[in-house]
Amino acid sequence: MLMILMKHSCFSQSDTLVISVRGFDIVMVKVEGGSFKRGCNPEIKPHDSCCFKKNWGENIVTLKNFYIAKFETTQLLYESIMGNNPSQARPDRHTGKSAVLPVENVSWYEAQIFIDSLNMITRLCFRLPTEAEWEFAARGANYDNPYLYAGSNNINDVAWFDYGGPISGWEWTMGVGGKKPNQLGLYDMTGNVCEWCSDWYDETYYQSQNKFYNPKGPETGDRKVVRGGNWGIHSECLLDVRYRQGEFPDRKQPYIGFRLALDSN
């Protein structure tokens, strides 16, 4: 049985769409379209130690309205749709046995198969967010603040990350929603698991033009964009909300998961 409810979010002016499928709620937050500046200027690199070459090229991005999931896709939801759980971190080997852990160890292709299956059940058009949508949402969209991480300048407020290895108390993912959300009410956009985006990855893409409207990324490539940092990263620059990387779409790692998106009318 499919149930769709509209709610009002207390974190912003955005509406929240709740889709109940197979006993699980998929909570989608509406992101009002707008513009933001992305990328960085290498000429000011001495004053911006996190300005990596892959982010060179400042440009203005304008996006339409869209929905993005409040939480990273969980193991429970993935298994309810696919009938299996590829994740390496499991509740039975985890310190938080009741934690709702994000699915990981899933390739970009497998994320697409999950989304196709979910769409057949719901008759909706879920997808992965574009890289631009991901960053706009992580920044708080039109509620943007100059935070280094998704919702705070204090990384410990918003992210599970491995700053020093097992000594810090965890070696795997943690339950979704365990840290503070950003301004839109989105959780774990910094840390926990990296998240697949729909775009092909190109290190020089930001330099290709000064303005982008609803960009979908390069037309071709050999790697897909991954965003958000993860539990195993110990460098705070690699958890900066701007940081981007590319991974081969067939790659499966215990630190890569994904978050759902939907178009908005």
Side-chain angles (χ1 to χ4, degrees):
M1 180 179 179
L2 175 66
M3 182 179 296
I4 301 177
L5 300 173
M6 291 293 294
K7 296 183 178 180
H8 184 72
S9 169
C10 62
F11 289 98
S12 71
Q13 300 298 318
S14 300
D15 291 324
T16 299
L17 183 65
V18 182
I19 299 129
S20 296
V21 55
R22 294 190 173 173
F24 298 98
D25 286 345
I26 304 172
V27 184
M28 305 294 293
V29 175
K30 186 175 183 181
V31 181
E32 298 292 338
S35 299
F36 73 105
K37 184 172 74 172
R38 73 174 176 185
C40 63
N41 184 346
E43 294 180 1
I44 62 171
K45 184 171 175 57
H47 305 289
D48 183 0
S49 60
C50 295
C51 180
F52 295 103
K53 186 176 181 180
K54 61 186 73 178
N55 287 88
W56 288 3
E58 292 180 312
N59 52 77
I60 301 298
V61 178
T62 301
L63 296 172
K64 300 186 296 185
N65 297 349
F66 63 96
Y67 284 94
I68 194 165
K70 185 174 184 177
F71 303 106
E72 293 165 332
T73 303
T74 65
Q75 295 181 21
L76 292 173
L77 177 61
Y78 188 95
E79 188 168 9
S80 75
I81 301 299
M82 301 304 297
N84 67 83
N85 182 1
S87 304
Q88 290 193 22
R90 300 293 185 88
D92 59 356
R93 69 176 80 155
H94 198 275
T95 54
K97 293 186 177 180
S98 62
V100 180
L101 302 177
V103 69
E104 27 81 8
N105 203 40
V106 57
S107 71
W108 186 91
Y109 293 123
E110 289 173 330
Q112 292 296 330
I113 293 170
F114 167 86
I115 289 170
D116 290 344
S117 300
L118 180 63
N119 289 341
M120 289 182 65
I121 295 168
T122 62
R123 298 186 179 181
L124 296 173
C125 295
F126 287 103
R127 57 178 175 81
L128 292 174
T130 66
E131 178 179 19
E133 288 173 337
W134 189 97
E135 183 170 336
F136 187 53
R139 288 172 173 270
N142 293 315
Y143 298 84
D144 180 32
N145 283 300
Y147 290 141
L148 296 174
Y149 316 109
S152 178
N153 282 328
N154 183 345
I155 194 170
N156 290 294
D157 286 346
V158 295
W160 295 112
F161 70 107
D162 190 2
Y163 205 74
I167 296 173
S168 57
W170 60 90
E171 300 178 62
W172 295 98
T173 55
M174 297 294 281
V176 299
K179 293 282 188 172
K180 292 181 180 178
N182 74 353
Q183 302 96 310
L184 291 175
L186 305 174
Y187 291 86
D188 298 305
M189 295 202 79
T190 299
N192 219 6
V193 292
C194 298
E195 300 175 12
W196 289 114
C197 293
S198 61
D199 314 40
W200 290 109
Y201 174 79
D202 181 350
E203 186 175 273
T204 65
Y205 182 61
Y206 286 7
Q207 303 171 46
S208 64
Q209 52 191 297
N210 294 324
K211 294 183 178 180
F212 292 86
Y213 178 75
N214 217 45
K216 302 294 191 296
E219 292 186 3
T220 61
D222 61 356
R223 290 173 290 169
K224 288 290 185 177
V225 172
V226 176
R227 284 299 206 115
N230 63 72
W231 58 267
I233 287 177
H234 61 273
S235 168
E236 294 188 15
C237 275
L238 304 187
L239 291 152
D240 187 304
V241 73
R242 300 171 301 174
Y243 184 75
R244 59 198 298 262
Q245 65 187 88
E247 294 282 2
F248 293 106
D250 60 352
R251 190 174 190 190
K252 301 170 63 169
Q253 295 291 345
Y255 51 79
I256 302 179
F258 64 96
R259 172 184 312 257
L260 297 168
L262 271 174
D263 289 338
S264 173
N265 296 329

